[in-house]
Amino acid sequence: MDFAAIKGFKDILPAEIEPWQRLDRTVRAVFGAFGFREMKLPVMEWTELFSRSIGQDTDIVSKEMYTLHDSKGRGMTLRPEATASVCRAYIQNRLHQDGPVQKFFVIGPMFRHENPQKGRFRQFHQIDAEIFGDPGPRSDADLIVMLLHLLDSLSLSGLTLHLNTLGCPECRGGFRDALRSYLKDRSEGLCEDCTRRAGTNPLRVFDCKAEACRNLVLKAPTILDHVCSACRDHFQALQTLLRDAGIGFEINPRLVRGLDYYTRTAFEVQTGHSGAQNAVAGGGRYDGLVRQLGGGDQPAIGFAIGVERLIALMNEVAQPRTSVPDLYVAALGEEAARKAFALVAELRKAGNWVEMDYASRSLKAQLKHADRLGAGRVLILGDNELAMGKGLLRDMGSKTQEEIPLDGLVDRLTRMLGAEARIRADKDA
């Protein structure tokens, strides 16, 4: 039997990994500056956590979750999103006791049984950030500012911030009734999924990608006509804070989030580069979710970024750089190979990427191997060099070489390679 990756599950190969690593570094630097702390959470949770938080009538819960049952018949599900897991960890570990406002982020894989397409997989990755404990618009603005700063730090352009308010349970009921009535009169124009949604969760119709449904809701009632004064004030204050921070945005009254727990602020960052799948990141406020999951009355707001889509945009801006060794050590003879092995170990401990041949092949073969790896320099060690206490340092670009003393070699090479690495970093910047 020939094995291949499961449909919708993708290998990330060494030649593709550089932008992923760069993204990880940038996320940790930016989020750290905003006071966010990283969590590592299980990829599997009790199924009820997601059905209760996301909503039983959502497509994720009803169609897309990967669920299995343990020996006692209890449902366990690979996480389809991170917010519910973060809330569970926040409640279970009583993290509210660490301070009134807590900020966390998670980077990792999520799982949904969707139709795989460009930029969308069944195992995909998300960057997730959450703020707990503040009910006001300032935490909304702070989170959005951090998100846009991250995207700017990755040199991404052509992005637009879309804002909406989803109101609160008190004012959303009137909007839901008006929308349900509007859709009932136009049910023949809805797709099969939206016909079902119109009765159970009509707001989800705004999230449909079918062209007929998208056209039909263009004249539908909007939440902005139904929000209460408190929700309107919150939304206006958020807009003022973003303007004060120099951030542009578009009010999009038809923007909804696909999960049931969202209230008030909803936002999305969109790009014009990816066709119909144009959302790079999205999030919103979910003030009732912690209480709904058995915790206290803790307001919260968060966002998620689709990593695969973000990587694709990063690669449009700049092709991934291929990492190459700092140095290759070519050894000729048994004694030289032993000396080279110890030297390579010391250089690696000092933080250098150094390679050598395992098979003690000819110098020509080793130089060819070094060239194939892209090493800029090769240190040649043979019995003659050991006897003289010197090695030959070859520049693979200019094909020139110079003698270099073996005494103090690790420190000397580390300083040399470190200086070259800084020069390369300055050029890349």
Side-chain angles (χ1 to χ4, degrees):
M1 177 180 180
D2 293 330
F3 289 100
I6 299 170
K7 182 179 180 181
F9 291 70
K10 183 180 183 298
D11 298 316
I12 303 167
L13 301 175
E16 305 168 298
I17 203 67
E18 190 277 332
W20 291 76
Q21 295 171 331
R22 179 157 50 97
L23 177 58
D24 275 355
R25 292 192 299 268
T26 307
V27 166
R28 290 182 170 87
V30 171
F31 287 13
F34 280 75
F36 282 70
R37 297 181 295 160
E38 185 174 8
M39 284 183 169
K40 294 289 188 184
L41 299 176
V43 298
M44 183 172 283
E45 303 271 7
W46 297 117
T47 303
E48 187 180 358
L49 173 67
F50 301 117
S51 59
R52 186 184 297 185
S53 61
I54 297 173
Q56 190 67 49
D57 294 325
T58 60
D59 287 351
I60 293 175
V61 172
S62 63
K63 297 180 179 180
E64 297 170 0
M65 296 201 310
Y66 284 95
T67 297
L68 56 86
H69 293 84
D70 67 5
S71 59
K72 297 182 179 179
R74 296 174 298 186
M76 300 182 297
T77 296
L78 291 172
R79 63 186 182 196
E81 58 97 38
T83 299
S85 294
V86 176
C87 285
R88 190 268 308 151
Y90 176 79
I91 296 167
Q92 180 179 348
N93 297 285
R94 302 181 180 180
L95 297 179
H96 66 279
Q97 296 179 352
D98 294 344
V101 176
Q102 296 295 314
K103 298 183 280 189
F104 309 107
F105 73 95
V106 174
I107 306 175
M110 312 293 158
F111 305 85
R112 297 184 192 176
H113 191 274
E114 297 184 285
N115 183 33
Q117 53 186 285
K118 182 180 180 181
R120 175 177 288 179
F121 303 94
R122 290 174 176 173
Q123 176 181 305
F124 57 99
H125 297 77
Q126 282 187 346
I127 301 163
D128 186 86
E130 317 284 349
I131 300 178
F132 293 90
D134 179 69
R138 193 168 297 167
S139 56
D140 300 23
D142 197 34
L143 195 77
I144 292 171
V145 168
M146 183 178 76
L147 169 60
L148 295 178
H149 178 47
L150 171 65
L151 299 175
D152 184 63
S153 298
L154 297 169
S155 301
L156 301 183
S157 60
L159 304 176
T160 306
L161 172 63
H162 292 249
L163 287 182
N164 194 20
T165 179
L166 300 178
C168 61
E170 286 71 27
C171 60
R172 197 158 55 199
F175 169 58
R176 187 180 285 109
D177 291 342
L179 180 58
R180 189 176 283 119
S181 176
Y182 174 87
L183 295 173
K184 183 178 179 181
D185 294 338
R186 295 160 180 81
S187 59
E188 69 281 355
L190 297 173
C191 69
E192 181 179 348
D193 284 337
C194 285
T195 299
R196 172 178 51 83
R197 292 166 180 158
T200 59
N201 192 353
L203 272 69
R204 291 296 314 282
V205 177
F206 286 108
D207 207 28
C208 184
K209 301 300 185 288
E211 185 176 357
C213 296
R214 293 170 71 91
N215 291 334
L216 190 145
V217 299
L218 289 176
K219 297 183 179 180
T222 71
I223 185 65
L224 297 179
D225 298 325
H226 294 83
V227 291
C228 64
S229 59
C231 290
R232 183 175 292 108
D233 291 345
H234 184 107
F235 193 44
Q236 292 294 337
L238 169 61
Q239 295 173 56
T240 299
L241 288 164
L242 292 176
R243 291 190 187 100
D244 289 346
I247 291 175
F249 54 85
E250 294 182 8
I251 303 298
N252 183 349
R254 290 171 178 79
L255 172 66
V256 299
R257 304 302 301 150
L259 312 179
D260 282 359
Y261 51 64
Y262 284 107
T263 58
R264 286 195 171 174
T265 303
F267 60 91
E268 195 168 89
V269 177
Q270 298 181 3
T271 174
H273 298 299
S274 301
Q277 300 298 326
N278 60 354
V280 177
R285 180 163 284 279
Y286 50 94
D287 289 342
L289 182 57
V290 174
R291 182 177 62 251
Q292 182 181 333
L293 294 177
D297 192 11
Q298 294 287 346
I301 184 170
F303 67 71
I305 308 173
V307 173
E308 280 81 358
R309 198 162 298 159
L310 192 56
I311 294 292
L313 290 175
M314 291 168 61
N315 289 342
E316 289 180 14
V317 174
Q319 290 299 313
R321 297 187 299 273
T322 301
S323 298
V324 296
D326 298 313
L327 179 71
Y328 188 98
V329 178
L332 302 173
E334 185 62 31
E335 186 178 354
R338 288 176 58 193
K339 176 71 175 179
F341 185 84
L343 175 64
V344 166
E346 290 300 313
L347 285 166
R348 287 169 173 169
K349 291 176 184 177
N352 305 289
W353 179 6
V354 184
E355 293 290 346
M356 70 174 293
D357 188 50
Y358 289 130
S360 298
R361 294 177 294 175
S362 67
L363 177 60
K364 180 179 179 180
Q366 292 186 64
L367 290 176
K368 186 175 181 180
H369 185 207
D371 191 52
R372 187 164 59 248
L373 292 175
R377 292 183 184 274
V378 175
L379 177 66
I380 302 172
L381 289 179
D383 292 339
N384 291 338
E385 285 74 26
L386 292 182
M388 294 186 298
K390 297 179 181 180
L392 290 177
L393 189 62
R394 181 179 178 87
D395 187 307
M396 296 296 285
S398 65
K399 307 301 181 184
T400 60
Q401 58 191 39
E402 59 179 317
E403 292 184 344
I404 183 169
L406 297 183
D407 186 37
L409 184 60
V410 172
D411 290 340
R412 188 176 292 107
L413 284 174
T414 296
R415 287 195 299 271
M416 178 188 298
L417 299 174
E420 292 178 348
R422 286 191 292 274
I423 292 171
R424 289 196 302 270
D426 290 341
K427 289 180 178 179
D428 291 337

